[in-house]
Amino acid sequence: MFSILKKEFNSFFTSPIAYLVIGVFLLINGLFLWVFKDDLNILNAGFADLNSFFLMAPWIFLFLIPAITMKSFAEEFNSGTIETLQTKPITDWHIIGGKFLASLLLIIVTLLPTLTYVYTVIQLGNPIGNLDIGSTVGSYIGLLFLAASYTSIGLFTSTLSKNQIVAFILGVFIMFFFFYGFDAIASLFTNNSYTVQKLGMNEHFKSISRGVIDTRDLLYFISLAIFFLALTKNQLRNTKKSSTLVILLITILLINTIGTSFYKRFDITKDKRYTVTKTTKSIVSSLDKTTLIKVYLKGNFPAEFKRLQIETQQFLEELRAINSNISIQFINPDTFREVLIKKGMAPSRLTVEENGILTEAIIFPWAEISHQNNTKIVSLLPNTSASSQEDQLQSAIENLEFSFASSLKSIRQKNKQKIAIITGNGELQDIYIYSLLKQVSAKYHLAKFTLDSVSSNSQKTLKDLTTFDLAIIAKPTERFSDKEKLVLDQFIINGGKTLWMLDNVQADQDSLLATGEMLTYPRDLNLTDLLFSYGVRINTHLVKDLYAAKIPLATGNIGNQPQFQNLPWFFHPLATVNQQHAISRNIKPVRLQFATQIDTLKNGIKKTPLLVSSLLTSTIGTPAIVQLKSIAEQVDENVYNKGHQLLAVLLEGKFNSAYKNRIKPFKTPLFKMTSKASKMVVIADGDIAKNQLLKGQPFDLSIDKWTQESFGNKDFLINTIDYLLDEDGLIRLRNKSLNIQLLNKQKAYHERAFWQLFNIGLPLLLLLGFGSVFNFLRKRKYGIQ
């Protein structure tokens, strides 16, 4: 076998056609990847990876490999040397194996000069070396397995004709059919299309090419190569017996069928970006009906945001690898934008820098999931605190698993968890929390629950409340009775979750704007002892923060028209979120209004700060007069020296009842002294969930209608509710951290010409150098002048 390998390898490189074929391969790659201004250009895309190369290489291989293999047997048949070869003391498998390995070795030699691409990306990375080596190695492994399958097909077609051109054309056709043909056929089916796709090479290559080694993919390529090599042997002997091939085919199908049930996937990427959590696997595996996911990320938009399209497709393919009931469609939304907008899918306007030039584009970063008769829309570009589009893109990619997993869970969830909106103590009216509750109602069952019935039937009220999973207390203004407190306490101790949004100070913003001043004073809600037993205390000191939201104020008149200016109002702190926690990660600052500080107490309960003020704060004791004219006063930063103030906290653990060693206001068989592991969130501001009104209608909680500033209030509260009701750890997926490898755009722009010449010229020079050394050694060995 080795002698045949050596003969084939030497004969190939003694022909100028070899250098022409490899040179064309390297030139085409160099031009498309580094020079031509298209979607494949690595310098234009701005990402430190070789995805474009591994996307294009299989298509170029369709012509390169048949050119290498077309003469393997066709030339032997044409010259009559095949009979001489078969009379030698070697088996047919030695002949086939030698030619197969020789062709594969030629392909490896062809790929070696492309390592200049790897070096270039490493040098242009931001920082230098910012390349995922594991993903790159996996991609090269995938390319070699694909090449092995192509080579086996090429050898087979070489036995079908004495004419090398015919062998070349047949090889291209069969390789094309196996690489893309099954995808084309699958597009004709609405059901079981993925089953058809899995018969083709492309579906198996895509997984390996992104750095995920799946034993099912390796088994597929090995099986395909063995089958076509067996066909080659059968054709070589020109035997009419097909029983051996049938047995081989059945064996291969059986092994691959078993392999789909018993397999391993190895994610060799640096940050394990394609490793799906057990929670997500459980959700996806439970889909017993066809689930269609339409993604509206297709069309002509900036290369930078094509990364979101690619990452979304790759992630969804990972989900489909878990459950074939998932069907994926990428759709261009240009012809039905208005339909998507009516469904709630707002477009995003992007500003992207390419080659030093700023361009704008509108995209629809949304997906739509359909499962049976239910649909759910998924935002792929969440509203985050990202300071740049690169950070926003990274946040979006990190959030993919959470977004899809939570939506898939929600769309098939038959029994929604129940949330009680507590009323009866002067809480916010429905119209003022409509923006929040409208979105929450898509996932949970909401119901108003009044505590007014406590006075007449306390036991029944408590029993009814315990049927809920979460209680939301939004800005109560009236004192809670002891019976009402016991109902809330035992709801918590019996496993209920709570979201407290409390104003411990009376502060009327409308009065302030109307008269220019207002009296702020402590509000007695009679909840201090209750919260104290859980480990927190809400004080009555107002927090002033130099990092604050703005309010519009009239600053003068032009004619009869008042002129307004947006000025920072220090009593509306912009709370900084805890970026290390799943609730608040990647959330914009949250606007609070006349918030007070929270103290935590040592009692064995885990306490996690969620919202804190900036360092530049001061506190004001109440009662106190707050005057609007103070907004114009000179700021003395020395006064704002109180440091971070805790404004919202998560409590987790086993809570002790506030009535553990006290006389109870009523008897109940449900009374417990200590809860099981539970959680609650306490926020020292009742207005955090209050949306504004515009022409009498609720306005979006995320935006201020006057200043048009956007805040993280809605996202923060929705994540809080999700976290409190999360039973399987799904919300923790928001903490997923990925590293999006970027190029140094400035360096790539200024050194563009050098790297273009480097990646076109150097691979060709390496090929020329290899050929010169090879022929020099050959001439010296055989004494050729």
Side-chain angles (χ1 to χ4, degrees):
M1 182 186 295
F2 179 75
S3 60
I4 294 176
L5 185 157
K6 185 177 178 181
K7 170 183 169 295
E8 290 290 321
F9 188 84
N10 288 336
S11 66
F12 188 82
F13 278 106
T14 55
S15 167
I17 300 239
Y19 302 99
L20 178 63
V21 170
I22 297 175
V24 169
F25 171 78
L26 295 173
L27 184 62
I28 291 175
N29 276 302
L31 291 174
F32 276 94
L33 297 177
W34 306 101
V35 178
F36 294 160
K37 295 181 179 180
D38 55 23
D39 294 341
L40 296 172
N41 193 298
I42 293 173
L43 298 175
N44 289 348
F47 294 95
D49 59 41
L50 291 172
N51 285 351
S52 297
F53 169 62
F54 295 113
L55 177 66
M56 187 170 62
W59 295 98
I60 304 178
F61 272 8
L62 285 174
F63 301 94
L64 171 71
I65 294 178
I68 292 174
T69 60
M70 64 183 181
K71 71 184 187 72
S72 295
F73 288 106
E75 188 177 57
E76 303 276 9
F77 283 126
N78 189 47
S79 63
T81 56
I82 188 67
E83 288 83 2
T84 305
L85 194 60
Q86 289 178 327
T87 59
K88 292 186 177 182
I90 53 175
T91 66
D92 289 345
W93 281 116
H94 282 105
I95 298 172
I96 295 170
K99 290 180 177 290
F100 174 79
L101 293 177
S103 299
L104 201 56
L105 183 58
L106 292 172
I107 295 165
I108 293 174
V109 170
T110 304
L111 287 175
L112 285 176
T114 65
L115 294 178
T116 60
Y117 307 160
V118 177
Y119 175 78
T120 301
V121 172
I122 289 174
Q123 291 302 309
L124 290 178
N126 187 18
I128 293 176
N130 188 27
L131 174 67
D132 190 338
I133 299 298
S135 176
T136 305
V137 169
S139 299
Y140 272 106
I141 291 173
L143 207 53
L144 289 177
F145 272 93
L146 179 73
S149 297
Y150 276 1
T151 301
S152 65
I153 294 173
L155 290 179
F156 168 66
T157 58
S158 181
T159 64
L160 299 178
S161 174
K162 295 180 180 181
N163 189 313
Q164 295 184 31
I165 302 301
V166 173
F168 173 83
I169 294 172
L170 289 173
V172 171
F173 175 77
I174 297 176
M175 291 177 201
F176 175 80
F177 178 77
F178 270 90
F179 183 73
Y180 182 73
F182 287 105
D183 287 351
I185 295 172
S187 65
L188 303 176
F189 295 88
T190 54
N191 296 321
N192 300 318
S193 60
Y194 182 55
T195 303
V196 177
Q197 279 181 284
K198 286 192 294 183
L199 296 175
M201 296 184 194
N202 188 29
E203 189 62 35
H204 296 276
F205 173 71
K206 285 189 293 187
S207 178
I208 305 179
S209 68
R210 58 176 172 261
V212 179
I213 308 299
D214 191 319
T215 54
R216 293 173 296 183
D217 299 327
L218 301 183
L219 189 59
Y220 170 86
F221 285 118
I222 293 171
S223 300
L224 195 64
I226 290 174
F227 180 70
F228 273 98
L229 291 177
L231 284 178
T232 303
K233 181 180 182 299
N234 191 66
Q235 186 66 24
L236 196 60
R237 285 297 178 183
N238 199 24
T239 177
K240 301 299 182 181
K241 296 180 179 180
S242 58
S243 57
T244 304
L245 285 176
V246 171
I247 294 172
L248 176 63
L249 181 60
I250 293 173
T251 303
I252 287 174
L253 291 175
L254 182 62
I255 291 174
N256 278 266
T257 302
I258 296 173
T260 59
S261 300
F262 303 95
Y263 64 92
K264 290 289 184 181
R265 289 174 71 83
F266 303 95
D267 184 353
I268 60 176
T269 58
K270 183 163 57 177
D271 48 16
K272 306 298 179 186
R273 66 193 314 131
Y274 302 115
T275 299
V276 179
T277 62
K278 291 181 179 179
T279 300
T280 302
K281 284 181 181 178
S282 176
I283 294 170
V284 173
S285 299
S286 65
L287 297 171
D288 54 355
K289 302 290 184 182
T290 299
T291 302
L292 176 62
I293 302 179
K294 298 178 181 178
V295 183
Y296 299 104
L297 277 178
K298 188 177 181 181
N300 185 23
F301 47 87
E304 183 171 1
F305 274 83
K306 283 189 179 295
R307 172 51 55 124
L308 181 58
Q309 176 196 41
I310 293 169
E311 293 285 348
T312 302
Q313 182 170 355
Q314 290 177 342
F315 174 74
L316 291 178
E317 287 170 354
E318 288 297 313
L319 298 188
R320 188 172 60 184
I322 298 171
N323 190 335
S324 59
N325 284 325
I326 292 178
S327 179
I328 307 166
Q329 291 180 5
F330 276 76
I331 302 172
N332 189 329
D334 288 347
T335 57
F336 50 93
R337 292 183 174 185
E338 293 183 0
V339 175
L340 299 183
I341 293 173
K342 288 180 180 179
K343 288 184 177 181
M345 304 183 211
S348 294
R349 185 181 297 274
L350 305 173
T351 302
V352 180
E353 181 182 353
E354 293 188 54
N355 300 326
I357 301 173
L358 293 178
T359 59
E360 272 198 353
I362 294 177
I363 67 170
F364 279 80
W366 293 88
E368 186 175 12
I369 301 176
S370 300
H371 179 77
Q372 295 182 308
N373 296 322
N374 300 320
T375 60
K376 178 96 176 163
I377 61 174
V378 183
S379 173
L380 304 179
L381 198 64
N383 189 19
T384 71
S385 59
S387 58
S388 66
Q389 286 189 167
E390 287 83 0
D391 291 340
Q392 186 182 25
L393 178 62
Q394 173 154 336
S395 175
I397 294 172
E398 290 174 339
N399 208 50
L400 283 175
E401 184 173 356
F402 171 73
S403 297
F404 280 105
S406 59
S407 297
L408 287 170
K409 178 184 177 181
S410 174
I411 200 171
R412 64 180 303 277
Q413 195 171 26
K414 296 180 180 179
N415 299 318
K416 293 183 177 180
Q417 291 171 290
K418 297 170 63 178
I419 298 177
I421 312 300
I422 301 298
T423 63
N425 293 80
E427 288 82 2
L428 286 173
Q429 298 177 28
D430 294 347
I431 195 171
Y432 289 108
I433 51 176
Y434 177 83
S435 178
L436 171 65
L437 297 186
K438 180 184 177 182
Q439 191 158 340
V440 173
S441 64
K443 187 182 294 186
Y444 305 103
H445 177 73
L446 304 181
K448 295 178 69 173
F449 191 94
T450 180
L451 295 179
D452 291 341
S453 60
V454 169
S455 58
S456 58
N457 197 337
S458 304
Q459 291 188 2
K460 185 177 185 303
T461 303
L462 172 58
K463 183 179 179 181
D464 291 343
L465 184 57
T466 54
T467 62
F468 289 86
D469 301 288
L470 170 69
I472 295 178
I473 302 101
K475 195 179 180 178
T477 57
E478 299 173 9
R479 180 185 173 90
F480 285 81
S481 68
D482 287 340
K483 288 184 177 181
E484 290 171 337
K485 287 164 57 179
L486 180 58
V487 168
L488 293 177
D489 175 80
Q490 285 304 298
F491 168 74
I492 293 168
I493 303 305
N494 278 275
K497 315 301 189 297
T498 47
L499 172 56
W500 303 87
M501 295 175 278
L502 304 176
D503 274 347
N504 257 17
V505 170
Q506 169 66 35
D508 187 356
Q509 175 88 355
D510 294 333
S511 173
L512 175 68
L513 295 176
T515 64
E517 65 178 23
M518 68 174 177
L519 173 66
T520 60
Y521 55 89
R523 174 183 281 146
D524 181 18
L525 297 174
N526 195 30
L527 293 175
T528 302
D529 57 336
L530 199 66
L531 296 176
F532 191 90
S533 67
Y534 306 143
V536 294
R537 176 175 56 220
I538 301 179
N539 293 312
T540 56
H541 289 74
L542 290 173
V543 175
K544 292 183 69 177
D545 194 335
L546 294 187
Y547 181 51
K550 297 177 180 179
I551 60 172
L553 290 178
T555 56
N557 294 288
I558 296 180
N560 294 325
Q561 297 295 324
Q563 299 299 302
F564 289 89
Q565 186 176 354
N566 299 327
L567 299 172
W569 180 234
F570 301 149
F571 286 98
H572 287 185
L574 285 177
T576 304
V577 297
N578 181 352
Q579 292 293 342
Q580 303 304 314
H581 197 274
I583 289 178
S584 44
R585 179 177 169 83
N586 291 326
I587 295 295
K588 288 187 174 183
V590 174
R591 178 178 64 177
L592 304 180
Q593 303 178 48
F594 299 101
T596 54
Q597 60 184 158
I598 297 176
D599 290 334
T600 58
L601 312 168
K602 293 183 179 180
N603 65 341
I605 297 294
K606 179 184 177 182
K607 303 171 184 69
T608 305
L610 296 177
L611 298 177
V612 295
S613 69
S614 75
L615 280 170
L616 301 175
T617 60
S618 68
T619 56
I620 297 178
T622 55
I625 299 292
V626 174
Q627 297 181 317
L628 198 57
K629 66 180 182 180
S630 65
I631 203 169
E633 294 176 356
Q634 185 70 28
V635 175
D636 182 2
E637 291 191 7
N638 293 324
V639 175
Y640 292 84
N641 59 2
K642 296 295 185 180
H644 294 299
Q645 301 296 317
L646 181 60
L647 304 173
V649 62
L650 166 68
L651 307 178
E652 296 175 284
K654 297 180 180 180
F655 297 104
N656 289 321
S657 170
Y659 292 88
K660 186 175 183 178
N661 297 310
R662 294 168 55 186
I663 298 175
K664 301 156 194 64
F666 66 88
K667 293 182 179 181
T668 170
L670 298 177
F671 182 81
K672 294 180 180 178
M673 292 190 293
T674 304
S675 75
K676 295 181 179 179
S678 189
K679 45 195 172 183
M680 68 173 68
V681 170
V682 179
I683 306 171
D685 176 35
D687 291 316
I688 186 174
K690 184 179 179 181
N691 56 252
Q692 298 167 315
L693 302 181
L694 181 63
K695 296 181 179 180
Q697 298 299 315
F699 196 71
D700 189 349
L701 177 61
S702 301
I703 304 173
D704 184 276
K705 70 175 181 178
W706 302 111
T707 67
Q708 293 302 303
E709 286 184 288
S710 59
F711 308 105
N713 293 48
K714 184 192 288 189
D715 291 334
F716 174 78
L717 292 172
I718 289 172
N719 289 344
T720 299
I721 292 170
D722 286 343
Y723 185 85
L724 292 174
L725 292 176
D726 185 25
E727 297 176 347
D728 47 21
L730 186 61
I731 188 68
R732 289 181 173 85
L733 293 177
R734 295 194 73 254
N735 271 347
K736 188 172 184 177
S737 180
L738 298 174
N739 179 30
I740 307 301
Q741 287 82 21
L742 298 173
L743 293 180
N744 185 326
K745 290 187 177 181
Q746 294 298 322
K747 185 177 180 181
Y749 177 71
H750 292 296
E751 300 178 7
R752 187 182 189 89
F754 168 78
W755 293 109
Q756 287 174 336
L757 182 61
F758 179 85
N759 286 289
I760 293 176
L762 185 58
L764 295 176
L765 288 175
L766 290 174
L767 175 62
L768 183 61
F770 172 82
S772 299
V773 172
F774 177 84
N775 283 288
F776 171 77
L777 294 176
R778 180 174 175 274
K779 288 179 180 179
R780 191 174 70 173
K781 179 176 180 180
Y782 295 106
I784 302 174
Q785 297 298 322

